């Protein structure tokens, strides 16, 4: 029963895993805030979800998009921006596709036909259109206009929201392209149209459009400093951190209580999990969704009976150790030297002594304030530490790696 085909764990990236844990705040934000407010014509900012590699940014918004799609909403696929590419082309193509979902190509208004044609040109030429284009014909304005048309069509329908998901936004390294993209999306989000209300009055309302941007925390610097206040007013940023043990355990409860349904050779069957096995998976992955999937996958393969045992988890994890190490090293290697040094010094101190004073001392600074900016970045931008009293690690896998034998059990 426990085969590669029935294994519900999926450590690969860019999927929505069957065994889902936590992120309830973000899912609730979409269900209870973003979607209903945009549908009701109320202003609501776009969302930017950032986080260190493997924390589940793409999976989270893919899941939101899948949910939206099931509800009948018009959604773009996850638009992954490859490094160094022209994001405008990709987004233009996706907005054309949204327009298709909205039925715009069949519309008779010449305004709409023009908007479609202009975005077709952006999809072909991207940013370079700006250079050739006349005043007012910049790519962003074409994109905004078509998005507004998509929004109007959604408004007319009355039940749907159009959702755009741009992923790997940190790869948009061309300033001009980034600015055009953020303005196009931001302008569409803040656009207001007039509608008639009973009694004949006319009121202004926002369109049912929603935007999610996902990527590495480095994007915060790019968009934050270059685009400044405008970006912050139009997009609300949150940084993902590790998933807590309770949420991970809860995700495995189905295996423990009811058994996970799988298709067997002679009809469907169930795979169970010892409570100790579930607890160990939830603990050993240190809140990293990628490692959670990896631990589950390997435990599944470690035996063939209909119950995943604690011993299966142990033996499975042995096969995962190298990847677990590599995962954390990838996170650490991406960090600028100072940030990495701060983490190492912090890890070297006894947990109760992790104050900025002691850390600055350990880093060789004469003044405490010199370590301040680095600590601040690791907290607010990256979500790796928490500057409480004392400082603590939010990235529990980084902590475990730096302070113990982990990933060894
Ligand atoms: N909420 C979750 N519950 C369980 N598993 C999850 C969850 N979110 C993500 N995962 C798993 O974690 C792994 C990493 O997810 P994902 O690719 O979305 O991360 P990411 O933050 O986009 O990473 P990257 O920065 O590399 O793009 C995937 O295997 C995914 O299935
Ligand atoms: Mg991703």
């Amino acid at each position: 029963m426990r085969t590669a085909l029935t294994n519900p764990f999926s450590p690969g990236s860019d999927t929505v895993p069957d065994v889902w844990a936590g992120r309830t705040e973000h899912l609730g934000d979409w269900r209870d805030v973003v979607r209903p407010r945009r549908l009701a014509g109320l202003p609501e900012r776009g969302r930017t979800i950032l986080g260190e590699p493997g924390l589940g940014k793409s999976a989270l918004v893919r899941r939101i998009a899948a949910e939206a799609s099931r509800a009948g909403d018009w959604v773009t696929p996850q638009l992954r921006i490859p490094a160094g590419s022209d994001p405008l082309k990709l987004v233009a193509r996706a907005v054309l596709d949204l327009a298709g979902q909205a039925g715009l190509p069949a519309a008779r208004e010449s305004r709409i036909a023009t908007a479609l044609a202009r975005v077709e040109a952006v999809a072909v030429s991207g940013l370079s259109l700006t250079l050739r284009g006349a005043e007012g014909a910049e790519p962003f304005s074409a994109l905004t206009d078509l998005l507004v048309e998509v929004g109007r069509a959604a408004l007319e329908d009355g039940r749907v929201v159009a959702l755009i998901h741009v992923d790997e936004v940190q790869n948009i390294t061309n300033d001009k392209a980034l600015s055009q993209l953020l303005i196009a999306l931001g302008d569409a989000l803040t656009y207001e149209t007039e509608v008639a209300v009973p009694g004949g009055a006319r009121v202004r309302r926002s369109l049912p459009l929603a935007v999610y941007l996902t990527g590495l925390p480095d994007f915060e610097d790019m968009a934050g400093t270059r685009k400044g206040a405008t970006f912050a007013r139009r997009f609300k940023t949150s940084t993902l951190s590790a998933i807590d043990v309770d949420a991970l355990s809860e995700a495995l409860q189905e295996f423990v209580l009811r058994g996970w349904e799988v298709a067997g050779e002679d009809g469907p069957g169930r795979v169970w999990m010892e409570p100790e096995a579930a607890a160990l998976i939830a603990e050993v992955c240190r809140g990293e969704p990628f490692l959670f999937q990896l631990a589950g996958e390997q435990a599944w393969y470690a035996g063939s009976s209909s119950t995943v045992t604690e011993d299966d988890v142990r033996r499975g994890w042995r096969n995962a150790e190298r990847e677990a190490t590599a995962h954390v090293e990838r996170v650490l290697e991406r960090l600028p030297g100072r940030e990495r040094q701060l983490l190492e010094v912090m890890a070297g101190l006894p947990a109760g002594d992790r104050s900025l004073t002691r850390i600055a001392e350990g880093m060789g600074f004469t003044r405490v304030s010199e370590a301040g900016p680095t600590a601040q970045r690791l907290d607010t931008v990256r979500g790796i530490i928490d500057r409480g009293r004392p400082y603590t690690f939010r990235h529990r896998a980084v902590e475990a790696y730096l302070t113990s034998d982990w990933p060894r059990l």
Side-chain angles (χ1 to χ4, degrees):
M1 238 184 309
R2 279 157 69 182
T3 66
L5 293 181
T6 55
N7 195 335
F9 294 97
S10 60
S13 60
D14 298 321
T15 52
V16 181
D18 289 338
V19 189
W20 180 269
R23 303 295 182 226
T24 46
E25 202 183 306
H26 289 89
L27 295 171
D29 178 54
W30 161 252
R31 290 175 196 148
D32 305 330
V33 181
V34 179
R35 189 172 189 276
R37 282 185 60 89
R38 299 289 325 185
L39 259 186
L42 297 166
E44 184 61 38
R45 288 181 288 175
R47 295 292 191 261
T48 306
I49 297 175
L50 306 177
E52 293 300 310
L55 276 177
K57 307 170 290 288
S58 306
L60 172 61
V61 180
R62 279 183 77 111
R63 180 169 169 147
I64 288 172
E67 221 180 275
S69 180
R70 274 197 301 277
D73 291 345
W74 303 330
V75 302
T76 67
Q78 165 199 14
L79 303 169
R80 299 187 60 170
I81 308 287
S85 74
D86 184 338
L88 293 177
K89 290 186 189 175
L90 197 71
V91 173
R93 196 41 71 206
V95 173
L96 285 168
D97 181 64
L98 271 186
Q101 296 181 50
L104 292 184
R108 293 223 195 86
E109 293 93 328
S110 64
R111 188 186 79 230
I112 293 177
T114 309
L116 283 166
R118 285 170 65 212
V119 175
E120 279 287 354
V122 177
V124 173
S125 308
L127 189 63
S128 64
L129 198 70
T130 316
L131 309 173
R132 293 190 273 111
E135 190 69 19
E138 296 216 76
F140 81 86
S141 69
L143 277 176
T144 303
D145 290 351
L146 188 57
L147 277 170
V148 164
E149 296 302 340
V150 169
R152 283 192 216 276
L155 177 59
E156 216 155 282
D157 181 283
R159 291 162 307 173
V160 305
V161 171
L163 181 130
I164 298 144
H165 174 198
V166 185
D167 195 16
E168 311 274 5
V169 284
Q170 78 282 353
N171 282 340
I172 311 177
T173 43
N174 179 319
D175 246 352
K176 180 123 203 206
L178 178 60
S179 145
Q180 294 256 331
L181 182 66
L182 294 181
I183 293 173
L185 297 171
D187 281 358
L189 284 176
T190 48
Y191 184 88
E192 287 184 331
T193 187
E194 265 195 358
V195 291
V197 292
R202 299 187 69 80
V203 297
R204 303 184 70 75
R205 58 156 292 160
S206 305
L207 295 169
L209 295 170
V211 176
Y212 277 83
L213 307 177
T214 46
L216 297 174
D218 314 72
F219 178 72
E220 174 87 339
D221 299 328
M222 298 160 54
T225 57
R226 293 189 213 158
K227 307 294 157 279
T230 319
F231 173 73
R233 274 201 307 272
R234 292 172 157 196
F235 288 86
K236 177 176 172 186
T237 299
S238 57
T239 306
L240 292 186
S241 51
I243 299 179
D244 62 51
V245 176
D246 288 347
L248 294 169
S249 301
E250 204 182 308
L252 297 173
Q253 249 335 58
E254 181 157 347
F255 291 86
V256 175
L257 291 181
R258 295 197 290 140
W260 187 273
E261 198 175 311
V262 294
E265 271 160 23
D266 9 76
R270 282 178 188 279
V271 173
W272 303 78
M273 200 179 270
E274 292 176 357
E276 297 77 13
L280 189 56
I281 292 177
E283 186 211 311
V284 78
C285 68
R286 293 298 191 273
E288 291 294 291
F290 169 68
L291 299 182
F292 172 71
Q293 297 292 334
L294 191 62
E297 179 196 54
Q298 292 304 318
W300 185 275
Y301 289 142
S304 51
S305 77
S306 62
T307 303
V308 177
T309 64
E310 185 181 356
D311 188 52
D312 289 343
V313 178
R314 284 181 186 282
R315 281 182 300 112
W317 184 251
R318 236 169 269 151
N319 292 326
E321 279 176 8
R322 279 184 53 186
E323 268 197 85
T325 303
H327 173 71
V328 175
E329 284 174 351
R330 221 164 18 244
V331 171
L332 290 173
E333 274 159 17
R334 278 190 354 96
L335 299 177
R338 275 273 181 248
E339 291 180 35
R340 188 168 174 168
Q341 190 200 1
L342 190 149
L343 293 178
E344 280 162 1
V345 168
M346 178 170 154
L349 292 167
D353 290 349
R354 291 175 183 158
S355 63
L356 187 60
T357 312
R358 295 293 304 274
I359 292 168
E361 217 173 81
M363 290 175 78
F365 288 126
T366 43
R367 275 176 301 145
V368 178
S369 59
E370 286 174 284
T374 309
Q376 185 187 5
R377 283 185 57 79
L378 283 166
D379 180 348
T380 57
V381 178
R382 300 200 187 275
I384 294 183
I385 65 169
D386 187 340
R387 289 170 303 163
R389 280 179 200 207
Y391 279 24
T392 51
F393 283 93
R394 276 196 269 167
H395 200 297
R396 303 203 309 277
V398 163
E399 173 178 27
Y401 175 82
L402 292 176
T403 61
S404 72
D405 270 354
W406 185 93
R408 212 159 304 147
L409 276 174

